[in-house]
C-alpha cells in the first residue's frame, strides 16, 4: 500500500527508519474492556495508545473497520484484526450464498463426490428475497421444524422456531421489524431471544452491518446429539493470517456450550431448550454462574471416545477440519486479502445423532468476555497465542507448524503432521496437522520454540 497524498488519510505505524526487528515497543489500541485488554496490557514490550495516538496493532471492531479502513495508511508492520469484507463469511446469508456457489463450482470442476464435501450446512433460504423458493421447499416436507435468524445479529436475538407458514406471514408483510423488537422486549410464544448480559462491544458477530434487517430461514436440526438429555454446540477458533495464499491455523482448545433445559421438540418456543448462546442461557432461572454451561473440548472429545471409540471420534474431527477448510475456500476469491489484516474466527458447529457436524455460523467477533474462571483461562491462552502467531515482535521464521496452542492446518495446501505425509488424492486419508480437543501443552512448546529461535539468531549473527 503506497502512502496516499490525500491529507485526510490517517497514518499509523510509521517506523521512522527503524527496521521491524529493531522496534523496542509495540503500540496497541483496542476498545474492548475484557480478557483481550488484560492480555494486551500484560504483554512484555507492549504499550497502550489512547484516543488518536499512533498505533502498530489495533484490535478494532467492525464498525471502525467499515468507517476508517479505506482512509487509513498503515506501515508495513502494522496489523488489525479484521479483513475489510469479513462479512462474506460471517454474515449468515452471505456465508450460505458463498458456500452454495463454491459447491456448484466444485461439482463443475471436480465432480459430485467432491461437491458433496460441502454438504455440511442445513438447507437455507434468504428472506424475503427467496421466500417463494422457501415456500416450495416447505410444502415438500410438511411438519418439520424451521428456524428464522436475523443475518446480522448475535447472542440469540430475534431468533424463532416455526412449523407453520402462518407463523411468518406477519414477517413477510413487512411488520416483522416491529414485531421482533417487541419480541425482544417481551418474548411471545414464537420468540426465542435475549438481550443477554454482555457488553455489546464484546458480543459475537456483526451488529448494525446493514440498515434493512434480512433473515435466513434454515431447516432446524431435529436430531442433535445430546449429552445428559441436553443440546449443545461447539465453539472452535480458526485464525486466518492470509487468504492469498490461504494460511489458516486451528486452535486446540474450544468448548461445548450446553442448554440448561432437556431437549424436546414438543416446546419450540422455549429459548432455554433450543438456543445454547451463553447470553441466553445465563438468564435461565436455574443457571449457576460458577458452574456455567460449558465443557472444554478436551473433555468433550474424551467423552465421545469413551462412548463411540477413537476411530469414530477421529472421523468426526476430520469432518470438522473439512468444514473449516471448505468454508474458507468458499470465500477465498472474494475476501479482500491485505497483508495488514488477520482474523480470529469463532466457528459454531452442531453435532447430530449420526456424529455428523453441521456448520451453524462463523463469527467475526467471537466473545472474549469470560463466563467462568475456566473460560477466562481458555480465552487468555487463545489470545496470547494469537499474538504469538501474528508476531508483531518478528521472532518467527514463517516455517513453524505449531505456535503454542495453534496448529497450522492449511498453508496454500494441506499441512501434514510430522509423522505422516498429507494425502493429496482427495480420498480423505491424510494425517492433517490438526489436534482439536487434544492435549494443549502450549507452555512447554513455546519455551522450546523461542529457545530454538534465539539459538538460531545467535548462530546466524
Amino acid at each position: 500500500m503506497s502512502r496516499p497524498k490525500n491529507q485526510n488519510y490517517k497514518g499509523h505505524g510509521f517506523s521512522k527508519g527503524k527496521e521491524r526487528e529493531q522496534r523496542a515497543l509495540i503500540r496497541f489500541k483496542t476498545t474492548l474492556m475484557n480478557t483481550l485488554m488484560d492480555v494486551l496490557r500484560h504483554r512484555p514490550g507492549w504499550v497502550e495508545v489512547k484516543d488518536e495516538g499512533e498505533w502498530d496493532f489495533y484490535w478494532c471492531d467492525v464498525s471502525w473497520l467499515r468507517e476508517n479502513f479505506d482512509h487509513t495508511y498503515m506501515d508495513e508492520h502494522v496489523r488489525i484484526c479484521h479483513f475489510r469484507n469479513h462479512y462474506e463469511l460471517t454474515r449468515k446469508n452471505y456465508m450460505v450464498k458463498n458456500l452454495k456457489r463454491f459447491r456448484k463450482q466444485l461439482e463443475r470442476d471436480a465432480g459430485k463426490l467432491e461437491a458433496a464435501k460441502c454438504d455440511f450446512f442445513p438447507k437455507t433460504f434468504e428472506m424475503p428475497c427467496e421466500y417463494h423458493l422457501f415456500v416450495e421447499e416447505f410444502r415438500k416436507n410438511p411438519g418439520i421444524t424451521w428456524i428464522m435468524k436475523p443475518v446480522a445479529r448475535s447472542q440469540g436475538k430475534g431468533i424463532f422456531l416455526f412449523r407453520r407458514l402462518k407463523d411468518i406471514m406477519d414477517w413477510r408483510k413487512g411488520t416483522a421489524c416491529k414485531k421482533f423488537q417487541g419480541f425482544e422486549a417481551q418474548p411471545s410464544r414464537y420468540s426465542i431471544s435475549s438481550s443477554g448480559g454482555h457488553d455489546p462491544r464484546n458480543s459475537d458477530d456483526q451488529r448494525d452491518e446493514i440498515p434493512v434487517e434480512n433473515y435466513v430461514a434454515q431447516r432446524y436440526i431435529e436430531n442433535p446429539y445430546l449429552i445428559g438429555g441436553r443440546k449443545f454446540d461447539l465453539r472452535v477458533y480458526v485464525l486466518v493470517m492470509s487468504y492469498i495464499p490461504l494460511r489458516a491455523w486451528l486452535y486446540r482448545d474450544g468448548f461445548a456450550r450446553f442448554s440448561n433445559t432437556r431437549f424436546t421438540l414438543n416446546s419450540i418456543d422455549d429459548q432455554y431448550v433450543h438456543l445454547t448462546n451463553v447470553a441466553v442461557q445465563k438468564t435461565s432461572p436455574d443457571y449457576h454462574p460458577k458452574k456455567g454451561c460449558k465443557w472444554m473440548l478436551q473433555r468433550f472429545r474424551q467423552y465421545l471416545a469413551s462412548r463411540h471409540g477413537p476411530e469414530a471420534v477421529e472421523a468426526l474431527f476430520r469432518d470438522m477440519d473439512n468444514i473449516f477448510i471448505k468454508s474458507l475456500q468458499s470465500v477465498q476469491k472474494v475476501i479482500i486479502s491485505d497483508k495488514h489484516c488477520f482474523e480470529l474466527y469463532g466457528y459454531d458447529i452442531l453435532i447430530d445423532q449420526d456424529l455428523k457436524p453441521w456448520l451453524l455460523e462463523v463469527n467475526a467477533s467471537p466473545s472474549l468476555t469470560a463466563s467462568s474462571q475456566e473460560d477466562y483461562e481458555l480465552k487468555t491462552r487463545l489470545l496470547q497465542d494469537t499474538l504469538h502467531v501474528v508476531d508483531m515482535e518478528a521472532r518467527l521464521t514463517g516455517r513453524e507448524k505449531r505456535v503454542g496452542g495453534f496448529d497450522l492446518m492449511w498453508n496454500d495446501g494441506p499441512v501434514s503432521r510430522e509423522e505422516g505425509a498429507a494425502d493429496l488424492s482427495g480420498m480423505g486419508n491424510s494425517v492433517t496437522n490438526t489436534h482439536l480437543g487434544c492435549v494443549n501443552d502450549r507452555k512447554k512448546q513455546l519455551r522450546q520454540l523461542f529457545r530454538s529461535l534465539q539459538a538460531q539468531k545467535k548462530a546466524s549473527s
Side-chain angles (χ1 to χ4, degrees):
M1 186 184 297
S2 60
R3 184 170 303 189
K5 295 179 181 178
N6 187 338
Q7 294 303 308
N8 291 327
Y9 276 66
K10 302 172 186 175
H12 291 285
F14 297 125
S15 55
K16 300 186 171 99
K18 293 183 181 180
E19 294 297 322
R20 184 182 173 197
E21 292 85 337
Q22 296 175 319
R23 283 183 293 113
L25 58 84
I26 292 145
R27 301 160 296 183
F28 75 86
K29 185 176 180 179
T30 186
T31 57
L32 301 184
M33 300 301 294
N34 52 27
T35 314
L36 174 68
M37 182 63 85
D38 293 347
V39 170
L40 291 171
R41 284 177 172 169
H42 286 92
R43 194 164 179 85
W46 287 50
V47 60
E48 186 177 359
V49 171
K50 297 181 179 178
D51 301 323
E52 294 302 311
E54 214 174 275
W55 43 266
D56 304 300
F57 178 95
Y58 189 9
W59 198 288
C60 62
D61 56 36
V62 293
S63 60
W64 181 92
L65 190 83
R66 188 170 59 248
E67 294 164 13
N68 297 283
F69 186 87
D70 293 333
H71 311 290
T72 302
Y73 168 78
M74 288 176 277
D75 201 30
E76 182 77 20
H77 69 277
V78 168
R79 296 291 181 268
I80 60 173
C81 69
H82 294 294
F83 288 93
R84 177 66 182 85
N85 59 337
H86 63 87
Y87 48 78
E88 292 286 352
L89 180 61
T90 59
R91 196 183 291 164
K92 299 174 187 72
N93 55 335
Y94 287 5
M95 179 190 81
V96 171
K97 177 196 71 174
N98 284 310
L99 282 168
K100 286 179 178 178
R101 176 185 46 76
F102 185 61
R103 185 168 57 188
K104 287 179 182 177
Q105 177 192 326
L106 282 177
E107 187 169 344
R108 285 195 306 269
D109 298 344
K112 290 186 177 181
L113 198 62
E114 189 66 24
K117 293 180 181 179
C118 285
D119 291 338
F120 50 70
F121 58 99
K123 192 171 285 291
T124 306
F125 298 90
E126 184 174 357
M127 308 288 266
C129 63
E130 293 183 327
Y131 178 79
H132 294 293
L133 290 173
F134 162 71
V135 169
E136 188 178 319
E137 180 67 27
F138 182 92
R139 286 175 174 158
K140 286 180 187 175
N141 300 281
I144 69 167
T145 309
W146 292 80
I147 185 168
M148 283 278 279
K149 304 176 183 178
V151 302
R153 281 203 264 176
S154 60
Q155 299 183 335
K157 297 189 186 82
I159 295 177
F160 66 100
L161 273 63
F162 66 96
R163 294 195 183 114
R164 303 177 302 170
L165 282 177
K166 180 178 179 295
D167 297 341
I168 57 168
M169 284 302 179
D170 288 337
W171 180 90
R172 190 192 172 212
K173 291 173 184 174
T175 61
C177 286
K178 289 181 183 177
K179 287 186 72 96
F180 288 139
Q181 286 167 8
F183 283 163
E184 288 182 20
Q186 185 176 359
S188 80
R189 72 187 191 92
Y190 297 127
S191 167
I192 298 180
S193 61
S194 170
S195 60
H198 290 305
D199 180 335
R201 293 175 302 175
N202 303 335
S203 65
D204 288 352
D205 212 13
Q206 316 73 32
R207 300 168 309 282
D208 307 321
E209 282 284 350
I210 47 179
V212 177
E213 185 158 39
N214 287 8
Y215 275 63
V216 290
Q218 193 171 72
R219 185 164 178 168
Y220 187 65
I221 306 297
E222 295 184 318
N223 64 331
Y225 190 95
L226 305 177
I227 296 179
R230 296 182 300 159
K231 180 183 173 182
F232 65 91
D233 67 2
L234 305 180
R235 166 56 59 87
V236 181
Y237 298 99
V238 174
L239 176 63
V240 175
M241 295 302 298
S242 165
Y243 271 99
I244 304 176
L246 181 58
R247 185 174 174 86
W249 301 74
L250 179 65
Y251 204 60
R252 295 187 175 201
D253 294 345
F255 49 85
R257 303 181 296 189
F258 286 85
S259 64
N260 266 297
T261 309
R262 293 178 69 87
F263 182 79
T264 174
L265 285 171
N266 296 329
S267 178
I268 65 171
D269 59 329
D270 190 336
Q271 59 182 338
Y272 302 124
V273 171
H274 300 285
L275 292 189
T276 59
N277 310 65
V278 175
V280 171
Q281 291 298 327
K282 71 191 301 183
T283 65
S284 170
D286 56 350
Y287 177 78
H288 300 287
K290 290 185 179 179
K291 187 178 177 183
C293 50
K294 294 180 180 179
W295 272 14
M296 293 301 106
L297 271 181
Q298 284 81 355
R299 182 181 178 186
F300 171 70
R301 185 166 186 150
Q302 289 168 0
Y303 175 87
L304 285 186
S306 69
R307 295 288 300 271
H308 304 282
E311 289 186 6
V313 174
E314 282 292 336
L316 167 62
F317 279 71
R318 194 162 55 240
D319 287 344
M320 284 197 278
D321 291 343
N322 174 68
I323 289 177
F324 307 138
I325 295 303
K326 289 290 192 292
S327 60
L328 293 174
Q329 288 177 326
S330 76
V331 297
Q332 187 177 5
K333 293 182 179 179
V334 294
I335 292 282
I336 302 168
S337 193
D338 189 293
K339 63 187 176 183
H340 300 102
C341 304
F342 68 94
E343 194 99 40
L344 179 65
Y345 293 110
Y347 274 73
D348 290 345
I349 306 288
L350 181 75
I351 313 296
D352 71 16
Q353 290 174 355
D354 300 319
L355 293 186
K356 174 182 171 63
W358 296 88
L359 175 60
L360 300 182
E361 63 180 293
V362 184
N363 294 290
S365 302
S367 174
L368 300 177
T369 299
S371 58
S372 66
Q373 182 61 33
E374 189 177 39
D375 195 37
Y376 180 83
E377 291 168 1
L378 181 154
K379 286 170 179 173
T380 297
R381 296 192 298 268
L382 168 72
L383 290 167
Q384 288 173 342
D385 291 346
T386 297
L387 298 181
H388 289 322
V389 175
V390 173
D391 192 29
M392 294 298 296
E393 297 89 350
R395 293 179 292 186
L396 304 182
T397 65
R399 297 186 296 274
E400 291 80 9
K401 291 167 65 172
R402 181 185 175 190
V403 177
F406 275 110
D407 297 294
L408 184 63
M409 66 173 169
W410 195 270
N411 189 19
D412 203 22
V415 180
S416 64
R417 295 182 191 174
E418 297 292 345
E419 64 270 19
D423 168 49
L424 302 179
S425 66
M427 300 302 290
N429 298 317
S430 60
V431 185
T432 53
N433 186 46
T434 55
H435 304 267
L436 184 62
C438 297
V439 174
N440 186 6
D441 55 340
R442 55 180 292 277
K443 286 187 177 180
K444 178 182 176 182
Q445 194 274 338
L446 288 169
R447 278 197 304 270
Q448 293 174 343
L449 173 63
F450 289 123
R451 193 179 297 135
S452 171
L453 291 170
Q454 286 175 345
Q456 290 176 38
K457 192 172 182 180
K458 285 180 181 178
S460 62
S461 60

